[in-house]
Amino acid sequence: MKKAVFPGSFDPITNGHIDVINRARKLFDHIIVGVAKRKEKNPIFTLSERERLVKAVVADIKGVEVKSFSGLLVDFVKQEKACTIIRGLRTISDFDYEFQMALTNRRIAPDIETIFFLASMRYAYLSASLVKEIASMGGKLEDFLPEPVIRAVEKKLKVKTHR
Ligand code: PNS
């Protein structure tokens, strides 16, 4: 069985992440979405809230499991008995950071490969931080976030977005 880990902060999960999961699912039998603790990024959602939201929106996608993790990503990948990390690439500006992370992970765990999926053009510009900014100003979120996530963002930021 081909198993891969799709790690991220998912603060919150966006339509762009779901697009990557659906693409990766065509190549892998089982995908573990790894929700990282990431205290240093000051997420707006707690780890368990982020995990719960990811679970809610991937519930209908077969072969996808959601788990949270703290510590090194490569240790989590080994613990899950996977050997591939999946990341989405949107624009060229993602490349530096992703390249650095993939090579560092390879250095500390040479048996683990990183595979990149190109996000759909529809989501090439989409980022969780931009979405949070739009939300905080009451902007429309339907093109960016699944419905349960929109409701959670509105509740968290105490805003009502345009529908
Ligand atoms: O969604 P993000 O914030 O771009 O995801 C980044 C993430 C969580 C994949 C990365 O920060 C990570 O792997 N964190 C776990 C700690 C770790 O292994 N750090 C070394 C990476 S080279």
Side-chain angles (χ1 to χ4, degrees):
M1 184 159 82
K2 279 185 278 171
K3 214 176 187 186
V5 169
F6 179 39
S9 305
F10 303 107
D11 186 47
I13 184 162
T14 67
N15 289 342
H17 294 125
I18 297 166
D19 176 60
V20 170
I21 294 170
N22 282 319
R23 286 173 197 282
R25 207 26 208 99
K26 293 181 194 155
L27 294 188
F28 291 91
D29 305 301
H30 192 81
I31 293 171
I32 299 151
V33 182
V35 184
K37 200 164 174 185
R38 297 285 267 162
K39 271 222 288 282
E40 69 281 8
K41 255 195 139 183
N42 291 323
I44 61 164
F45 290 102
T46 64
L47 182 60
S48 60
E49 286 168 338
R50 286 181 278 139
E51 186 182 355
R52 210 170 337 113
L53 280 175
V54 178
K55 278 187 177 153
V57 300
V58 303
D60 292 339
I61 314 177
K62 279 206 182 81
V64 178
E65 196 181 355
V66 184
K67 291 185 178 184
S68 57
F69 74 99
S70 54
L72 283 180
L73 170 61
V74 290
D75 289 342
F76 176 65
V77 174
K78 285 180 198 162
Q79 181 194 311
E80 294 303 321
K81 304 201 170 8
C83 48
T84 310
I85 296 167
I86 287 167
R87 292 287 288 171
L89 271 184
R90 292 165 301 185
T91 56
I92 198 78
S93 58
D94 279 344
F95 190 74
D96 265 357
Y97 170 60
E98 295 297 335
F99 187 73
Q100 194 181 13
M101 203 156 64
L103 287 182
T104 309
N105 283 331
R106 180 187 280 171
R107 185 84 200 191
I108 48 182
D111 295 338
I112 296 175
E113 292 295 338
T114 301
I115 295 188
F116 295 99
F117 284 83
L118 282 189
S120 156
M121 281 304 282
R122 275 183 75 186
Y123 306 122
Y125 55 88
L126 182 55
S127 78
S129 20
L130 274 185
V131 166
K132 283 180 277 190
E133 191 173 311
I134 295 167
S136 68
M137 294 166 188
K140 194 166 169 275
L141 298 175
E142 274 138 345
D143 287 345
F144 313 132
L145 301 179
E147 187 54 39
V149 182
I150 297 179
R151 275 185 265 121
V153 169
E154 286 182 335
K155 197 169 161 205
K156 178 64 74 175
L157 299 177
K158 298 188 175 60
V159 288
K160 190 81 200 135
T161 60
H162 290 301
R163 301 272 178 153

